[in-house]
Structures are given as structure tokens and as C-alpha cells.
Amino acid sequence: MYSELISNFKFIIITIILLLLSCSKEPPIFKKTKFLMDTVVTVTAVGPKEEVEKAIDATFSEIERLESLMSGFRKGNDVDRINRSAGINPVKVDKDVLIVITKAIEISEMTGGAFDITIGPLSSLWGFGVKENYIPARADIKKTLSLVDYRKLHVNVQKSEVLLKEKGMKIDLGGIAKGYAADKGVEVLKGEGIKAGIVAVAGDIRVFGKRPDGKPWHIGIKHPREKDKVLTTIDLEDSSISTSGDYERFFVKGGIRYHHIFDPKNGLPAPNCQSVTIISKEGILVDALATGVFVLGPEKGMEFIESNKLIKGIIVDSRGEVKVSSALRSMTPRGKIGL
Ligand code: ADP
Ligand code: MG
């Protein structure tokens, strides 16, 4: 009887030790940050240190490569060559540039032109990040608008060629390239054998797999008006999330807030949202749609989100009111969205 008790006790102790050991066997998680694509890029990966470090470095190299292809400030890169050849001749481009431009045109069509990468001449005229608090004259905006039209951007997939039909036209990939970089970053991590991680190019984030504790990744969405607060936290596995806001690049003059997301219809900063968050599978899609839905505004924007089964979203309108798409409402276990 006594010896039976001892052996049971031993069994319990061994089980507890085994349990503790299995808990401490959670795979480690590593994170690295670099300034790329004009913003902060953070790559997180789960796995053994050496393997993960190698994978993260390869991810940064890939994002650097994409930056040099797609930046609007690199002389001689594909974007620069397309813009300089506007109205003259088609330009042969890299496969990734072709993918991004093709997808951008598709998203322009989906959003009725609210998203339009031929916004380039308008971005240059306003000059966010280059000029200081500059408001262009109405006449200059009007003149520039005649150069903004995605229907005059032609892609020949077979030949890998891109042509802007009119002289003076310019593409600007600022509203889509970061999401694509998140996609490609994840592709590299997976190719290196990593089973779970996050690639965050500022607010363009793609996650895959699960956290080491087996739970989904918790992704915070910035509050558009209170710098250190989050609007909410979303649990995500194998998906992408992107937030576009009027708080990243802006200035206030005469009580009006001017920011870097333009309505291609009138050439002015889109006035009706503070921020738009889109969730779906692909980074390239959510990045461009967050920008496009921002331009559409809260009503048309939410209608657009609800009409597409593959996307979910949150819109904070210009008064700070928060609208959540129905599919997302049932998915956020962290209570009320907003503050
Ligand atoms: P962020 O760059 O802050 O992540 P977005 O993804 O919304 O925000 O991209 C904004 C950028 O997209 C602008 O800086 C500009 O380069 C470009 N852009 C602005 N308006 C439009 C638009 N209507 N369609 C496509 N791109 C746009
Ligand atoms: Mg965007």
C-alpha cells in the first residue's frame, strides 16, 4: 500500500517534469528591424537562431531589391525609365514590376479609379516628404489631373513591357509596393524553411503560421489620432493587413489637414476618412485597397468592402466614427473596436 503510494507519487512528479520540459521547448522567436522603402521594416520569425537569422537577412535583401526597382527616387530604375519614356516608347521591366503594375490596374478597375498609380504627377506637385507644407494652385492641380488616368497605362505581359501613353505621365507605386514587399518577404522566409513569422513594412503586414505558443499573431491597428494608442488588436493567421491613414504624412494649414492620399477625381487629399484598414490574403491587395477605399470614403468604401467576400475592413471616418465590416465583427474577440 505504502509502496504503491510512493510509485504513484513518482509518476505524478515525472509527469509534471515532462510537462514543464515540453513547455520550455517552445521554439524561440527573433525580430530584426531595418529602414527600407522609406520606412521601418520589421521581420519576425520563429525557429532556431542561426536558421532564422539567415532567413531574416535574405528577406531584407529581397526587400532592398524591390525597393531599388520600385522607388520613385532612383535614377535609371524601372519606374524612372517608364516615366521618362512616357508618350515615347514601351519599356522592358523586371517580372516583379510587371506583376505590381498589372495588379494596380486591376485594382483601379475594381475601385472605379479611386486607386490609380498614374497619380505620379500629382504626388510630385504636392511633394509630400520633399516640399514643405506646399499647397499647389488650383490651376496647377487641374492641369496635372489631365495626366492622371490608369486607362492610359498599358502593359504587355508577353513582352514584359509597360507604356504610359502621354508625355508627362508618371507612375507612383507608393500605395502598393510595400504590400507586395510584405508578400515577397514572406515568400523568402518560407523558402528558407521558416514555418511562422511576420513581415511588417510599416503598416503593411503579412503573417504566416502561428506564434510559438500556438496562438494566432496579435496585430495592433494604430489609432488615427492618438499616437501611442491602438484602435484594436486583431488575431491573424496566414493573412495580410494594411492601414492607410491621414496621419502618416500630413500638415495642417488654416485649420485644414492636407495629407498624401489623393482623390484622382479632383487632385485633393481625400477628406472623408482618418484611416482605413483592410484584411485579406495578399499584401499587395490590402495595401492598394486600403488606399483605394480611403479615397472612396466611408459609405462607398464600406459598401465596397461588404461586396467582396475575400476582404474585411475597418473605416474610421473624418469625425472619428468607427465602422467595422460584418465579417470582421464576428472575428474580433477582443471586444469593442475603438476607444
Ligand atoms: P503609406 O504610404 O502611408 O503606407 P498608402 O499605402 O495609403 O500609405 O500610400 C500612400 C501613397 O500612395 C502616397 O504617398 C502616394 O505615393 C500614393 N497615392 C496617393 N494617392 C493615391 C491614389 N489615389 N491611388 C494610388 N496611389 C496613391
Ligand atoms: Mg496602400
Side-chain angles (χ1 to χ4, degrees):
M1 166 74 181
Y2 185 65
S3 69
E4 202 179 300
L5 210 74
I6 292 274
S7 88
N8 274 348
F9 188 63
K10 266 191 199 152
F11 176 70
I12 289 168
I13 294 288
I14 288 169
T15 313
I16 288 172
I17 289 171
L18 281 177
L19 268 174
L20 285 175
L21 276 177
S22 75
C23 286
S24 67
K25 269 219 174 121
E26 244 176 37
I29 181 164
F30 297 94
K31 199 166 154 174
K32 231 172 158 180
T33 294
K34 235 179 165 176
F35 196 84
L36 291 173
M37 301 193 99
D38 206 18
T39 193
V40 177
V41 180
T42 303
V43 180
T44 307
V46 177
K49 190 162 192 266
E50 254 173 49
E51 206 175 290
V52 163
E53 277 183 344
K54 183 171 161 274
I56 292 181
D57 287 344
T59 305
F60 281 134
S61 302
E62 173 66 356
I63 296 176
E64 262 166 51
R65 184 183 73 83
L66 295 170
E67 177 184 15
S68 61
L69 281 170
M70 295 182 204
S71 161
F73 302 98
R74 299 273 175 104
K75 274 223 160 94
N77 73 355
D78 281 3
V79 167
D80 184 49
R81 290 189 308 116
I82 292 168
N83 293 345
R84 283 168 188 271
S85 307
I88 307 170
N89 54 267
V91 168
K92 224 176 191 61
V93 296
D94 182 277
K95 185 177 115 279
D96 291 300
V97 175
L98 202 74
I99 291 172
V100 170
I101 295 176
T102 306
K103 192 76 182 178
I105 295 172
E106 204 183 288
I107 294 166
S108 294
E109 280 160 1
M110 283 167 78
T111 57
F115 181 81
D116 190 336
I117 56 167
T118 67
I119 202 95
L122 202 62
S123 314
S124 306
L125 178 67
W126 281 88
F128 277 85
V130 180
K131 302 175 185 174
E132 190 146 334
N133 301 359
Y134 176 71
I135 304 170
R138 289 276 164 158
D140 291 339
I141 294 179
K142 208 169 156 217
K143 218 166 50 201
T144 308
L145 271 183
S146 66
L147 296 168
V148 177
D149 186 352
Y150 68 92
R151 285 160 299 197
K152 293 181 187 159
L153 167 62
H154 293 202
V155 170
N156 185 328
V157 177
Q158 276 76 38
K159 291 184 168 170
S160 278
E161 282 179 356
V162 177
L163 170 71
L164 284 164
K165 291 283 275 188
E166 280 177 32
K167 219 172 167 58
M169 287 183 79
K170 279 202 244 175
I171 57 164
D172 165 4
L173 302 181
I176 190 166
K178 293 201 280 292
Y180 186 65
D183 287 338
K184 294 294 283 187
V186 164
E187 202 179 294
V188 170
L189 286 177
K190 285 182 174 171
E192 294 282 328
I194 304 297
K195 296 288 183 292
I198 306 175
V199 177
V201 186
D204 293 295
I205 302 165
R206 182 162 182 155
V207 311
F208 68 109
K210 290 183 183 175
R211 296 191 335 180
D213 61 6
K215 293 198 177 128
W217 299 101
H218 304 323
I219 306 293
I221 299 171
K222 272 192 186 170
H223 190 289
R225 289 293 176 269
E226 290 171 68
K227 222 170 176 273
D228 299 318
K229 279 191 180 167
V230 290
L231 190 66
T232 189
T233 306
I234 307 269
D235 287 354
L236 289 179
E237 279 173 53
D238 296 310
S239 38
S240 299
I241 181 167
S242 169
T243 301
S244 281
D246 67 0
Y247 51 86
E248 291 290 354
R249 291 206 165 142
F250 76 98
F251 62 88
V252 180
K253 232 182 195 173
I256 299 173
R257 178 185 279 257
Y258 297 91
H259 61 86
H260 71 319
I261 301 170
F262 307 108
D263 185 340
K265 288 209 166 72
N266 59 20
L268 299 171
N272 298 321
C273 298
Q274 291 181 359
S275 81
V276 171
T277 299
I278 302 287
I279 299 169
S280 189
K281 182 84 182 167
E282 288 185 336
I284 189 170
L285 181 74
V286 295
D287 185 7
L289 283 184
T291 310
V293 168
F294 193 104
V295 173
L296 286 176
E299 284 80 28
K300 278 194 192 153
M302 191 47 81
E303 249 172 61
F304 175 88
I305 296 171
E306 294 286 5
S307 72
N308 191 327
K309 274 204 193 75
L310 300 177
I311 65 170
K312 304 180 181 79
I314 302 173
I315 299 178
V316 182
D317 73 15
S318 55
R319 289 164 305 156
E321 214 159 278
V322 183
K323 293 184 198 312
V324 182
S325 76
S326 41
L328 188 60
R329 247 177 271 144
S330 57
M331 199 189 113
T332 45
R334 277 150 202 282
K336 198 171 160 281
I337 296 183
L339 296 166

